[in-house]
Amino acid sequence: MLSFSDRRQKRRPLLPRKDHGDGTLVGASFSSAVFNLSTTVVGAGVMALPATLKQLGMIPGLIVIIGGAMITEASIDMILRFSYPSKSRSYSGLVADAFGSAGRSLLQACIVINNMGLLVVYLIIIGDVMSGTRNMNGVHHSGVIEGWVGRETWLADRFILLLLTTLFVFAPLISLKRVDSLRYTSALSVGLAFVFVMIIAGVAIIKLIEGTIQMPRLFPTLVDQSSFWNLFTCVPVLVTAYICHHNVHPIANELREPTQMKSIVRSSLGLCLCVYLLTSFFGFLLFGDQTQDDVLANFDANLGIPYSSLLDDVVRVSYCAHLMLVFPIVFFSLRLNLDGLLFPYAAIPIAKDNRRFAAVTLALMCFIFLGANLVPTIWDAFQFTGATTAVAVGFIFPAAIALRDIHGIATKKDRMISWVMIVLAISSSTIAIFSDVYSIFRHSNGSLAEEFKIDLIRDFNIS
């Protein structure tokens, strides 16, 4: 019988490289790897970053976004450097080397929860933007399709719209077995992100020239203790915005030259940082204190410039198309890690087992589709996953690997950075969770008080 280490070694090649049939390896190019990693990074988080600046102020907000990119690069550099001496070709394999099967399972569970939550959010956003939604105050925000063909037509129905998107967009893309197969959709996804950046920057510059934009707040406004704690609710958004660790090894495994991965990470994070800084700066400059938690919600009204309605539709449609193209690459690592969690001792990788591949893919897509239709909004849950599983995947596990240092290659700088990452991750996440819980209970108590007041007025005619 094979020992645990033997079985683990046997399933190390999770993603065998493609060949022509004659043994000649075909690797992914530098540019395709940059696009795939950038698409993993730039997801729904970019739309929440302008609200982060509203919360923190312009200067601290931009500094924190830059700091998030620097810490993310340091954490990815750690898992890449520590992979070489252990010859691990996956993030979970690296954790298994350092902490055993329990550590590997915990990491895979965190990735599954984080990615599952992201994909449900993506599908909800697509449904909200295209078919319309109703906010907590009962105000209806019309969707793009609803505005084109009317609210009563079957095409504007949320369930039908998401079903068609799943069958004709997601199904073909998530059926691909290699990350590099998504290189063209990833390039298009990054291009669509820049379309949004150019539009929002153009509108902001036009209104700045016209003098219709007020000076944005440079620093946060702290009026009481509650406003101070609310600053930490930005942590889940900032952490989630840079999470791409789960796709680093799959992308590196398909490269012609795996040694290029460090340069690929830097190029990708630099590209994403430009998108984040421009979106945050011009988004907050344009909408100021009226910036919504999802800045896309600001684009369902008149922007005060010519062709405003057309620009609104272009922004919303391009962003939905961007999310549709981000979906398969996040789904790729979700499927890989769920398979590792359910079948840790499988003799062959999931990419070579068609039955297992189809079963896991179908089960995940059904769960995500049902979740997006049954749960009207999961922003609170999204904040909690960002403050827990995303922090663990992005910072705590890489730092723990460096501190464990089973191969004796960690430098003093590595250990110092690791402790800083762990302290910042745990402290900021704890405060963020506390602040989220406090906000939820305060809102709940406020709602109950308002209902009680309405009942008194109705029953006793109190004015």
Side-chain angles (χ1 to χ4, degrees):
M1 180 180 292
L2 293 175
S3 65
F4 167 74
S5 60
D6 291 334
R7 284 179 288 183
R8 188 176 62 195
Q9 290 293 336
K10 188 174 181 179
R11 72 181 307 271
R12 274 274 171 75
L14 293 176
L15 297 164
R17 298 175 188 172
K18 186 179 179 182
D19 58 60
H20 286 301
D22 58 0
T24 305
L25 293 178
V26 181
S29 65
F30 184 95
S31 59
S32 67
V34 169
F35 285 130
N36 280 329
L37 192 61
S38 300
T39 302
T40 307
V41 177
V42 181
V46 64
M47 292 300 162
L49 290 178
T52 299
L53 265 64
K54 183 181 75 170
Q55 194 82 280
L56 299 176
M58 181 71 80
I59 294 177
L62 294 177
I63 291 175
V64 168
I65 291 173
I66 295 172
M70 295 173 63
I71 295 177
T72 301
E73 182 186 353
S75 63
I76 295 176
D77 180 66
M78 286 181 182
I79 64 176
L80 286 175
R81 283 193 294 111
F82 282 84
S83 294
Y84 296 132
S86 67
K87 296 182 174 58
S88 176
R89 293 184 58 192
S90 69
Y91 189 7
S92 59
L94 184 61
V95 172
D97 287 341
F99 301 102
S101 60
R104 179 190 62 197
S105 298
L106 181 59
L107 171 65
Q108 290 172 334
C110 288
I111 293 175
V112 168
I113 294 172
N114 181 71
N115 287 22
M116 187 83 75
L118 280 177
L119 295 181
V120 173
V121 168
Y122 289 177
L123 212 55
I124 288 176
I125 293 175
I126 292 169
D128 289 348
V129 171
M130 301 305 290
S131 67
T133 186
R134 192 176 298 275
N135 64 17
M136 295 177 62
N137 297 321
V139 178
H140 179 77
H141 294 271
S142 63
V144 176
I145 300 296
E146 184 182 23
W148 291 348
V149 300
R151 187 185 301 184
E152 303 303 324
T153 58
W154 63 270
L155 190 59
D157 183 79
R158 181 190 184 90
F159 180 87
I160 294 176
L161 182 66
L162 292 182
L163 180 62
L164 293 176
T165 302
T166 300
L167 293 177
F168 295 105
V169 180
F170 294 150
L173 293 176
I174 64 177
S175 298
L176 300 173
K177 296 183 177 181
R178 300 182 68 246
V179 179
D180 192 52
S181 301
L182 299 168
R183 60 189 180 277
Y184 298 117
T185 58
S186 294
L188 180 58
S189 173
V190 174
L192 289 171
F194 273 102
V195 167
F196 172 78
V197 170
M198 288 187 291
I199 291 177
I200 196 172
V203 174
I205 291 172
I206 291 173
K207 300 195 73 172
L208 192 63
I209 295 174
E210 293 176 348
T212 57
I213 289 181
Q214 297 181 350
M215 180 67 178
R217 285 186 297 103
L218 300 181
F219 296 95
T221 302
L222 301 176
V223 294
D224 53 21
Q225 188 177 8
S226 176
S227 62
F228 171 77
W229 293 117
N230 281 338
L231 298 179
F232 293 91
T233 59
C234 299
V235 172
V237 176
L238 291 168
V239 171
T240 305
Y242 285 107
I243 292 298
C244 61
H245 302 64
H246 45 78
N247 265 349
V248 169
H249 282 87
I251 292 172
N253 290 339
E254 296 183 4
L255 282 174
R256 297 192 189 109
E257 297 292 338
T259 55
Q260 293 180 323
M261 196 60 202
K262 186 172 183 179
S263 299
I264 288 169
V265 170
R266 287 185 175 179
S267 300
S268 178
L269 288 178
L271 180 65
C272 296
L273 180 60
C274 289
V275 172
Y276 284 171
L277 289 177
L278 292 173
T279 302
S280 304
F281 177 80
F282 286 110
F284 184 48
L285 182 66
L286 179 60
F287 299 113
D289 287 335
Q290 302 303 314
T291 304
Q292 300 295 316
D293 291 339
D294 179 1
V295 74
L296 203 65
N298 290 102
F299 285 91
D300 66 348
N302 191 349
L303 299 175
I305 62 171
Y307 306 106
S308 173
S309 178
L310 176 62
L311 289 175
D312 283 341
D313 286 349
V314 170
V315 166
R316 293 192 287 174
V317 171
S318 64
Y319 179 62
C320 282
H322 165 73
L323 284 185
M324 291 177 188
L325 300 177
V326 173
F327 190 99
I329 202 162
V330 177
F331 188 92
F332 185 92
S333 58
L334 168 62
R335 177 175 52 210
L336 191 66
N337 283 277
L338 181 62
D339 177 71
L341 197 61
L342 298 178
F343 309 102
Y345 307 124
I348 59 176
I350 187 173
K352 289 191 173 183
D353 188 333
N354 292 333
R355 183 176 297 179
R356 197 165 92 237
F357 182 89
V360 174
T361 300
L362 182 61
L364 282 173
M365 197 62 245
C366 288
F367 185 88
I368 292 169
F369 179 79
L370 290 175
N373 280 280
L374 297 177
V375 181
T377 176
I378 59 168
W379 288 111
D380 290 330
F382 186 52
Q383 285 185 323
F384 282 112
T385 57
T388 52
T389 56
V391 168
V393 172
F395 302 123
I396 293 179
F397 275 106
I401 291 170
L403 293 175
R404 177 72 168 170
D405 192 21
I406 60 175
H407 297 285
I409 63 173
T411 63
K412 184 177 180 180
K413 180 181 178 181
D414 290 333
R415 288 188 286 270
M416 182 181 69
I417 293 176
S418 297
W419 280 116
V420 170
M421 287 167 56
I422 289 177
V423 171
L424 284 176
I426 294 177
S427 58
S428 59
S429 294
T430 302
I431 296 174
I433 293 172
F434 170 79
S435 182
D436 287 336
V437 172
Y438 175 75
S439 298
I440 291 172
F441 276 102
R442 184 178 63 177
H443 176 77
S444 175
N445 291 336
S447 300
L448 290 174
E450 188 66 25
E451 291 177 5
F452 181 68
K453 180 179 177 181
I454 292 173
D455 289 340
L456 286 177
I457 293 174
R458 184 184 65 243
D459 296 338
F460 300 101
N461 196 24
I462 297 177
S463 60

